[in-house]
Amino acid sequence: MIKNQLYQQLRSQVYDIIENEAYQTKFSKSFDKFLIVLILLNVSAVIAESVDVWYFPNKHLFDAFEQFSIVIFSGEYLLRLWAIVEKDKDKHPELPNWKRRLQWLKSPGAIIDFISIAPAFLNYFVTVDLRFLRVLRLFRLLKLTRYFAAMRILLIVLHKEKESFKAVIFILIILIVTASSGIYVVENQAQPEVFESIPKSMWWAVVTLTTVGYGDVIPVTNAGKFLGAVITILGVGLAALPAGILASGLASELEQRREILEQKFREMLLDNDDMHLIKDSYKIDKVRRELGLNKEQADEVILQLLREKEYEHRLAEIDKKNYCPHCGEHL
Amino acid sequence: MIKNQLYQQLRSQVYDIIENEAYQTKFSKSFDKFLIVLILLNVSAVIAESVDVWYFPNKHLFDAFEQFSIVIFSGEYLLRLWAIVEKDKDKHPELPNWKRRLQWLKSPGAIIDFISIAPAFLNYFVTVDLRFLRVLRLFRLLKLTRYFAAMRILLIVLHKEKESFKAVIFILIILIVTASSGIYVVENQAQPEVFESIPKSMWWAVVTLTTVGYGDVIPVTNAGKFLGAVITILGVGLAALPAGILASGLASELEQRREILEQKFREMLLDNDDMHLIKDSYKIDKVRRELGLNKEQADEVILQLLREKEYEHRLAEIDKKNYCPHCGEHL
Amino acid sequence: MIKNQLYQQLRSQVYDIIENEAYQTKFSKSFDKFLIVLILLNVSAVIAESVDVWYFPNKHLFDAFEQFSIVIFSGEYLLRLWAIVEKDKDKHPELPNWKRRLQWLKSPGAIIDFISIAPAFLNYFVTVDLRFLRVLRLFRLLKLTRYFAAMRILLIVLHKEKESFKAVIFILIILIVTASSGIYVVENQAQPEVFESIPKSMWWAVVTLTTVGYGDVIPVTNAGKFLGAVITILGVGLAALPAGILASGLASELEQRREILEQKFREMLLDNDDMHLIKDSYKIDKVRRELGLNKEQADEVILQLLREKEYEHRLAEIDKKNYCPHCGEHL
Amino acid sequence: MIKNQLYQQLRSQVYDIIENEAYQTKFSKSFDKFLIVLILLNVSAVIAESVDVWYFPNKHLFDAFEQFSIVIFSGEYLLRLWAIVEKDKDKHPELPNWKRRLQWLKSPGAIIDFISIAPAFLNYFVTVDLRFLRVLRLFRLLKLTRYFAAMRILLIVLHKEKESFKAVIFILIILIVTASSGIYVVENQAQPEVFESIPKSMWWAVVTLTTVGYGDVIPVTNAGKFLGAVITILGVGLAALPAGILASGLASELEQRREILEQKFREMLLDNDDMHLIKDSYKIDKVRRELGLNKEQADEVILQLLREKEYEHRLAEIDKKNYCPHCGEHL
């Protein structure tokens, strides 16, 4: 039984180090940093291997590094799978361990982790084009998402604004299809090679609507140039739309989080109406972190609250003076 | 008379299935999905037909599919025209059927439906260039607008911000005219072919101001390059303006709808001051849908309301404590 | 004396027609439309004259049209100068006429009007390049600003955000100077012709930073490509900044105007607390126009006000019920 | 002792002129203007020196100007270092002079000042490529930051939104690495020269994702074009994102400053409840300046306050009428 307890204690310890974000010791931070560096080195290796003069003389080094990385990432994956049962153990104690593990296996983070190591083992079963296989290792880059709060907020905004993005993609498809069909009808006779069919004309449409404009395919007839000009002007109006939606979505998301933070601070003040509480940095830090806001943003909210508080206080003082201190009647 | 009643019941049923958005059964949803797939297949067919190696071997298949589509779309059009008299029957029972039908015929949705099928019948009356006729079938793509809430919101924003867009188009025209005239005066002598006249120079102006920059027409003199640089810098400032207006318009439109939703929820709470009502998912769903908001946006509003409610409740409790429970006087 | 009175009446009439925006009769509207069409025809003429095959066969027509336009625009200018003394006559009756005229002469609108006609008379004094002179007539396009409310709002936003634009231009200059100097140092030896000096390299810097990318000047060394990539990424971040500032400035300007409109409507309601007043379309229209808002924006504000009013009303009713109707005590 | 006093007075005077922004005399303004002009002339000189036909005939002039500039900038640097001890002398009188100086030496402004003069002295110690050395003088451009309030606000926004920018850069790196790897796998066989390795393919990825599109490197295979199109569409969504974040950050920063200004004006009104105070232009000017807002923005806030005040006043008057003036009871 003591053995079992030790086992559980070890698992809990491992969970705290590799998964629990609230747990921030020197060791858990170093562990995160080591993984971040390893991921970046892996990506650099993939890029460097594509350069023949770098790869061939150091083939064994690159291969050894890949072996090492696979061992580490596989170990990390297994450790996470093993320790994840400690998650929310107090909240849902009835959930069996295999269900917790299955839940984790289906989470986006776990899937990214899996894809990061899977291609390396693929070679044992089927013969795959080596170059393609190597590039697949770039998926490891996505493992970094875990360590960036702003990245997660951006993904949430993308999710929230998905209706708007659908509309934009829908318009974009309409524009691309219309543009390529129009230019195909107009330019097909003048440049039968370049604008051979609608699918071929789509290359021009995409390159133009996104304002990239390589210049390899250009309308030459007057009608084509006129149509091209109209399409370009419409395209420009659309090109920056997704970025605009994302930017304003990001702004309103941060605004909302700041408001929730303010609300929570106000509630803290209700329980205990003195400003010392709000200066309690540990509590503030915890709330702030949950909302993914950085220190400066939290400080701004607190400053604003303090300013309001003082203003209300002064208003109350002035109000008091307007009443008779003896009978309490309004003067 | 019973026959008439059956007829009306059938018409009402058809109306619910193909037009009434509040009516959401399995069958009406399948009907919508079938039409969406058919539209997408039609667009794909138009694109595929332009590729000779795909079209000529399968000519009869493409033609049969077009025949089939026309039958379906024509049937859909006639059914809508027939059943539309059921719309708002309770609100305006005095309106005659032919007026309802005329009203519908003039609505944007009906016009799109008409243009989607009209070209197919055009062939019987006049001989038109077949390639051009085929491309006209792309209008069917616009039929999809009916099924995207976000798309409709975008159109509303476009309508609301039309004043701003007019201003932008006005500036754009000024810039294009000025840029092409300027470059014509400056570059005409160095490149008499390319900058032959102002209309010809407009191609350069559009390609530059929209930052596409194909590179087929470029100023070569120092004066031309200087003018080109100035125009480009101005153009860049303008290129993303429509997208910016659209994005911020979209953001404020959604904000406004969220506020209306909040107001409506508050009103619901007034009639019956317990939170159970607001959890009544059917009512909420109906209001939410009318405003074109998705589930997550509605949930956010409700969450915010609940949070406020609780805060007010706690404030009131604290306020109560400040009064003597016996005489009701302020302590 | 009667003659003098008639003279003043005529001048007041002319002022109302050509300058007073609050005065909107059929005739004054037609007058505006006539001028708008004339301006557009003038611009079209300038563009058409640059096409030799259009100009030379119809030289006398073009010349006659120019003569006609000059007469009209000169007449308009003189009429405005004559009638402007009627402006704000009630507010500042002490101002002498010549002062009012001088004030008008220095206003932006009058300067645009002057530049629109001045070049035509320039020919009598000095010999100017005819082509250049013709293009100067494009200034007449700016006369249209008078007729677009949204255009004026855009100019106001430009004025309000001028600090931000200064900052953007300052950064842009820093970027252009730094980019062209950097690429000059790096690429000068590989392409001594193209990157001959910093001023020559600026063409590349502008074309790249604005993302136009003609492709006529491209770095070829590895160092040049690396520097070019870094500059491009920075440039992209900056390119859309002015548009973003303008768009958000426009949004907040319209928001502010909507708030002022709301405030004014509230004040109207204070004087006479029934909703009929707010439906008084003449008063509303006047306020709305002064703020440059369109009908739909005003309607939205009114709708919002009505909704609030009703909510408050219902709140008050509920509040009443909570008090004993006999003793007035809280229940 | 009198000598010491005179010395301190002189130092205080120098501090007021060259550092203290609140101190605005004719002389201190002229001093600022002189430095701004000198900086701009320096930058122009660097640019002009790169043009051989300008530099070689006037070599001695350019060299003399550089000598002169170095003397001035070195003098300015030393004066600032000497006088900086006067800063916040009342607030922290206990801080020794060397600590104040060290603090200043580590401030961004002082570092820019140092870099502006350092390269000129570098030549005495080591032999550096002259062309590179000259270009380093462009750092003097950054000295202008000190004189632009909007520039400082932009830097603050950049600092506040740094989390979002990190996320954008992270996505950009993922996109560039993924795009270049993908195109390398797909196009390497068709164009082994151009897409030789992933690092070489990155040039294409950057040029495409930023929508510059020079056209020197273009995918030619169908798979490459398809991949290119997908990447381009994604890139366009991202290209304007930093600008959008910056623009909305700038807007909310200015909004926040306007609110603080409003709050401060309200506080001024509390102490002395008459509107004359707020018209006290000196106090307003001081507050406004500290917040980096311009006159028009402050005026707008004041106007809004006055409008609200009047509305409240009228509300109160109406409220009074609803009470019996004799018994004070509600009617």
Side-chain angles (χ1 to χ4, degrees), chain B residues 160 171 181 198 208 232 236 271, chain C residues 50 138 154 214 239 300 314:
Chain B
K160 277 194 185 171
I171 301 176
S181 304
I198 295 179
T208 301
T232 309
V236 156
D271 295 331
Chain C
S50 76
L138 286 174
L154 208 66
Y214 288 127
E300 220 165 75
R314 285 180 61 191

Side-chain angles (χ1 to χ4, degrees), chain A residues 43 46-47 50-51 54 131-132 135 138 141-142 144-145 148 150-151 154 172 176 203 206 210-214 216 239-240 242-243 246-247 250-251 254 294 296-297 300 304 307-308 311 314-315 318, chain D residues 159-160 162-164 167 170-171 174 177 181 184-185 188 196-199 202 204 208 211-215 217-219 225 228-229 232-233 236-237 240-241 244-245 248 256 260 263 266-267 270-271:
Chain A
V43 172
V46 173
I47 294 170
S50 76
V51 185
W54 293 347
R131 191 182 285 152
F132 181 68
V135 167
L138 285 174
L141 203 49
L142 292 177
L144 287 177
T145 317
F148 286 97
M151 191 70 206
L154 209 66
L172 198 66
I176 290 174
W203 175 243
V206 170
T210 56
T211 77
V212 169
Y214 288 127
D216 56 339
L246 214 54
L250 205 64
L254 287 174
N294 61 29
E296 284 127 30
Q297 289 164 326
E300 223 166 74
Q304 184 61 30
R307 226 183 281 127
E308 264 176 40
Y311 182 70
R314 285 180 61 190
L315 258 185
I318 286 164
Chain D
H159 183 74
K160 276 194 185 169
K162 68 171 185 285
E163 299 295 317
S164 305
F170 180 47
I171 301 175
I174 289 183
V177 169
S181 304
Y184 159 73
V185 168
N188 177 272
E196 194 192 315
S197 63
I198 296 180
M202 277 184 180
W204 172 83
T208 301
T211 79
V212 169
Y214 288 127
V217 188
I218 300 172
K225 283 188 177 182
T232 311
I233 289 171
V236 157
L241 191 51
I245 292 170
S248 76
Q256 207 180 320
I260 295 175
Q263 186 92 24
R266 268 186 218 284
E267 278 167 27
L270 269 192
D271 296 330

Side-chain angles (χ1 to χ4, degrees), chain B residues 90-324:
Chain B
D90 312 323
K91 284 195 206 155
H92 314 281
E94 76 293 349
L95 225 69
N97 285 353
W98 68 268
K99 263 204 181 165
R100 287 168 191 278
R101 292 207 168 102
L102 197 72
Q103 239 173 36
W104 181 77
L105 280 173
K106 290 188 288 186
S107 70
I111 290 169
I112 287 173
D113 282 355
F114 181 75
I115 296 175
S116 301
I117 49 173
F121 298 106
L122 208 70
N123 234 5
Y124 294 110
F125 305 102
V126 285
T127 345
V128 203
D129 174 45
L130 201 73
R131 191 182 285 151
F132 182 67
L133 207 70
R134 256 196 241 143
V135 167
L136 279 187
R137 279 154 51 197
L138 286 174
F139 268 105
R140 292 175 192 167
L141 204 49
L142 292 178
K143 282 170 80 85
L144 287 177
T145 317
R146 186 177 276 130
Y147 306 105
F148 285 97
M151 191 69 206
R152 279 199 301 270
I153 294 181
L154 207 65
L155 287 177
I156 288 168
V157 172
L158 266 174
H159 183 74
K160 277 194 185 171
E161 303 282 338
K162 67 172 187 285
E163 299 294 318
S164 305
F165 283 111
K166 271 189 209 160
V168 171
I169 288 168
F170 180 48
I171 301 176
L172 198 67
I173 290 171
I174 289 183
L175 269 180
I176 290 174
V177 169
T178 317
S180 52
S181 304
I183 208 82
Y184 159 73
V185 168
V186 170
E187 286 279 316
N188 178 273
Q189 292 206 299
Q191 304 186 74
E193 280 288 294
V194 181
F195 297 103
E196 193 192 317
S197 63
I198 295 179
K200 271 218 161 179
S201 308
M202 278 184 180
W203 174 244
W204 172 82
V206 170
V207 167
T208 301
L209 282 169
T210 57
T211 77
V212 170
Y214 289 127
D216 57 339
V217 188
I218 300 171
V220 293
T221 64
N222 279 338
K225 284 188 176 182
F226 181 76
L227 189 72
V230 172
I231 287 164
T232 309
I233 289 170
L234 285 174
V236 156
L238 198 86
L241 191 49
I245 292 171
L246 213 56
S248 76
L250 204 65
S252 84
E253 177 72 26
L254 286 174
E255 180 58 34
Q256 208 179 320
R257 280 165 188 242
R258 239 174 264 143
E259 269 166 30
I260 294 176
L261 196 72
E262 207 186 307
Q263 186 93 24
K264 290 210 169 163
F265 285 166
R266 268 185 218 284
E267 277 166 29
M268 281 187 186
L269 284 174
L270 269 192
D271 295 331
N272 186 337
D273 194 37
D274 75 283
M275 277 332 260
H276 297 304
L277 190 80
I278 218 166
K279 282 165 193 156
D280 175 346
S281 69
Y282 177 74
K283 261 199 180 171
I284 287 172
D285 228 50
K286 212 188 131 208
V287 173
R288 166 182 83 68
R289 259 216 187 120
E290 280 170 16
L291 290 166
L293 295 173
N294 61 30
K295 221 163 191 139
E296 284 128 31
Q297 289 163 327
D299 286 353
E300 221 165 74
V301 170
I302 291 169
L303 217 81
Q304 184 61 32
L305 265 179
L306 287 168
R307 225 183 281 128
E308 264 176 40
K309 209 81 196 170
E310 208 195 48
Y311 182 70
E312 273 170 29
H313 188 71
R314 286 178 62 190
L315 258 185
E317 295 245 309
I318 285 164
D319 224 40
K320 232 182 251 168
K321 286 190 204 134
N322 286 336
Y323 289 86
C324 164

Side-chain angles (χ1 to χ4, degrees), chain A residues 255 304, chain C residues 161 248 252-253 255-256 259, chain D residues 153 248-262 291 293 297 300-301:
Chain A
E255 181 57 35
Q304 184 61 30
Chain C
E161 303 282 337
S248 77
S252 84
E253 177 72 26
E255 181 58 35
Q256 207 180 321
E259 268 167 31
Chain D
I153 293 181
S248 76
L250 205 65
S252 84
E253 176 73 24
L254 287 174
E255 181 58 34
Q256 207 180 320
R257 279 165 189 242
R258 243 174 260 143
E259 269 167 32
I260 295 175
L261 196 72
E262 208 185 307
L291 291 166
L293 295 172
Q297 289 164 326
E300 222 165 74
V301 171

Side-chain angles (χ1 to χ4, degrees), chain D residues 29-282:
Chain D
K29 278 182 190 168
S30 310
F31 182 80
D32 283 1
K33 269 179 202 155
F34 168 71
L35 279 180
I36 291 172
V37 169
L38 190 65
I39 293 164
L40 292 176
L41 282 176
N42 261 272
V43 172
S44 309
V46 173
I47 293 169
E49 282 177 27
S50 75
V51 184
D52 290 350
V53 291
W54 293 348
Y55 180 59
F56 287 115
N58 309 298
K59 199 173 176 302
H60 56 286
L61 272 175
F62 280 111
D63 289 353
F65 178 66
E66 170 62 11
Q67 303 287 343
F68 170 72
S69 303
I70 277 298
V71 169
I72 299 288
F73 289 140
S74 304
E76 181 210 352
Y77 186 74
L78 293 174
L79 273 181
R80 281 185 201 274
L81 183 61
W82 173 60
I84 199 66
V85 296
E86 301 289 331
K87 197 185 166 192
D88 298 334
K89 216 167 187 177
D90 313 323
K91 285 194 207 158
H92 314 280
E94 76 292 348
L95 226 68
N97 285 355
W98 68 268
K99 263 201 182 167
R100 288 168 190 278
R101 292 208 167 99
L102 196 71
Q103 240 173 35
W104 180 77
L105 280 173
K106 289 188 288 184
S107 70
I111 291 169
I112 289 173
D113 282 356
F114 181 74
I115 297 175
S116 302
I117 48 173
F121 298 106
L122 208 71
N123 233 5
Y124 294 111
F125 305 103
V126 283
T127 342
V128 203
D129 174 45
L130 201 72
R131 190 182 285 152
F132 181 68
L133 207 69
R134 259 195 238 143
V135 167
L136 279 186
R137 278 154 50 197
L138 286 174
F139 268 105
R140 290 172 194 170
L141 203 48
L142 292 177
K143 282 170 79 88
L144 287 177
T145 317
R146 185 177 278 131
Y147 307 103
F148 286 96
M151 190 70 206
R152 279 199 302 269
I153 293 181
L154 208 66
L155 286 176
I156 288 168
V157 172
L158 265 173
H159 183 74
K160 276 194 185 169
E161 303 282 337
K162 68 171 185 285
E163 299 295 317
S164 305
F165 282 112
K166 269 187 210 161
V168 171
I169 288 168
F170 180 47
I171 301 175
L172 197 67
I173 289 171
I174 289 183
L175 270 179
I176 290 174
V177 169
T178 317
S180 52
S181 304
I183 208 79
Y184 159 73
V185 168
V186 170
E187 286 278 316
N188 177 272
Q189 292 203 302
Q191 303 186 74
E193 279 289 295
V194 182
F195 296 103
E196 194 192 315
S197 63
I198 296 180
K200 271 218 161 180
S201 308
M202 277 184 180
W203 174 242
W204 172 83
V206 170
V207 167
T208 301
L209 281 169
T210 56
T211 79
V212 169
Y214 288 127
D216 56 338
V217 188
I218 300 172
V220 293
T221 64
N222 280 339
K225 283 188 177 182
F226 181 76
L227 189 72
V230 171
I231 287 164
T232 311
I233 289 171
L234 286 174
V236 157
L238 198 86
L241 191 51
I245 292 170
L246 214 55
S248 76
L250 205 65
S252 84
E253 176 73 24
L254 287 174
E255 181 58 34
Q256 207 180 320
R257 279 165 189 242
R258 243 174 260 143
E259 269 167 32
I260 295 175
L261 196 72
E262 208 185 307
Q263 186 92 24
K264 289 210 170 161
F265 285 167
R266 268 186 218 284
E267 278 167 27
M268 280 184 188
L269 284 174
L270 269 192
D271 296 330
N272 186 338
D273 194 37
D274 75 283
M275 275 335 258
H276 297 305
L277 191 80
I278 217 165
K279 282 165 193 156
D280 175 347
S281 67
Y282 177 74

